[in-house]
Amino acid sequence: MSVSASLSGANDLSISNAVGSNIFNLMVVAGLCAVFCAIPVSSETIKRDFPISIIAAIMLALFGWTGSTVGHIEGLILLAVFAGFLFLMVRSAIRARNNSTEIEEYSVLPIWKCALYLIGGIAAIAVGGKMVVDSATDIAKHFGMSENLIGMTIVAFGTSLPELVTSIVAARKKETDMAMGNVIGSNIFNLLFVLGIAASISPIGFTEKNIIDVAVLIGVSLLVLILCAPKKRISRPLGAFMVVIYAAYTVYLLYRENVIGG
């Protein structure tokens, strides 16, 4: 969606969608999942993935703060950091496989079917992303709402909806072992790869509101990390607390854009 927004010239949606989606993933997807069933958080997620997601958000904030834009060079830097993260992930997976004594069975799909699924998925994302960006922009203009607000709320919710449904179903089935890792991994992907690609295609403007939103992302990420690290899990009360924080932040967004209380 952020890449589609960048191509369409709706740059406010690029940053706000990625940041809004990350806040939604962390506070609502993980929070609601924990409400159904406490989520275990692995040591790797706490020691490696969480800090990298926070560093990525700090990098984005610094780029926006110093230049009021995330340009081609900054986009390439984000992509380079993502490549480094990907290298760490692959190396960790290889080590885990070599140290594992279990024999796992895999069903290998034919190459043509893999290619068909890949091309079809990319095409669906491209078309769907353009439709969402265009529709969200039209809604914003019709109701006099800013693209930033639409990106932080409606588009971010739409982007994260599949992950929300999947996580809740997994939580109800008590299959939450990888839930937090998936959320943090998705957030890293959004900030480093998605915004990296978008900025490499077309420089993305960075407003004061964007800086506030990224600061909120950094703050809630640090808060959740500090609260879940001691017991390596997100408890039900903590999950409910996270959802309440997101609800309060949404009210703030509506107030900031004069939708309420204006």
Side-chain angles (χ1 to χ4, degrees):
M1 307 258 181
S2 293
V3 175
S4 298
S6 182
L7 288 171
S8 302
N11 282 344
D12 280 354
L13 280 176
S14 298
I15 296 290
S16 59
N17 174 43
V19 175
S21 178
N22 279 19
I23 296 175
F24 187 90
N25 281 343
L26 181 61
M27 306 306 285
V28 178
V29 174
L32 279 181
C33 195
V35 169
F36 284 99
C37 179
I39 303 176
V41 184
S42 69
S43 297
E44 279 192 341
T45 297
I46 292 174
K47 295 179 181 179
R48 181 194 64 196
D49 300 342
F50 236 129
I52 289 177
S53 72
I54 295 171
I55 290 172
I58 292 173
M59 288 176 59
L60 182 62
L62 289 176
F63 289 155
W65 180 266
T66 56
S68 297
T69 185
V70 181
H72 298 298
I73 300 299
E74 289 84 359
L76 293 175
I77 292 174
L78 292 175
L79 289 175
V81 175
F82 179 74
F85 170 71
L86 211 57
F87 172 77
L88 290 177
M89 292 289 291
V90 172
R91 187 176 66 175
S92 176
I94 292 174
R95 285 180 178 176
R97 185 186 63 185
N98 292 338
N99 294 333
S100 176
T101 57
E102 298 180 4
I103 300 177
E104 298 182 5
E105 296 292 336
Y106 297 96
S107 59
V108 181
L109 294 175
I111 294 296
W112 68 268
K113 188 173 288 189
C114 293
L116 182 63
Y117 289 163
L118 180 62
I119 294 172
I122 292 174
I125 290 173
V127 174
K130 187 177 188 308
M131 290 175 63
V132 170
V133 169
D134 291 344
S135 300
T137 303
D138 290 341
I139 291 173
K141 291 178 179 178
H142 180 75
F143 289 101
M145 300 167 66
S146 70
E147 291 181 356
N148 179 270
L149 176 61
I150 295 294
M152 288 295 298
T153 54
I154 298 174
V155 180
F157 174 76
T159 302
S160 302
L161 186 58
E163 193 164 6
L164 173 62
V165 173
T166 302
S167 296
I168 291 177
V169 171
R172 296 189 66 176
K173 293 183 177 180
K174 311 296 184 183
E175 298 174 358
T176 58
D177 289 347
M178 298 183 66
M180 199 61 188
N182 289 337
V183 166
I184 300 302
S186 175
N187 285 5
I188 293 173
F189 185 85
N190 282 341
L191 292 182
L192 295 180
F193 184 76
V194 175
L195 285 183
I197 290 290
S200 298
I201 294 172
S202 175
I204 303 172
F206 211 97
T207 66
E208 182 179 340
K209 292 177 181 178
N210 292 142
I211 293 176
I212 294 173
D213 296 331
V214 177
V216 170
L217 174 60
I218 295 170
V220 294
S221 297
L222 285 169
L223 177 65
V224 174
L225 175 59
I226 292 171
L227 293 178
C228 76
K231 295 185 178 181
K232 295 183 179 180
R233 72 188 186 109
I234 297 181
S235 63
R236 287 183 172 180
L238 176 55
F241 179 58
M242 290 161 64
V243 175
V244 169
I245 290 178
Y246 182 82
Y249 180 61
T250 301
V251 172
Y252 159 73
L253 289 176
L254 296 174
Y255 181 81
R256 185 177 74 182
E257 301 295 334
N258 296 318
V259 176
I260 60 174

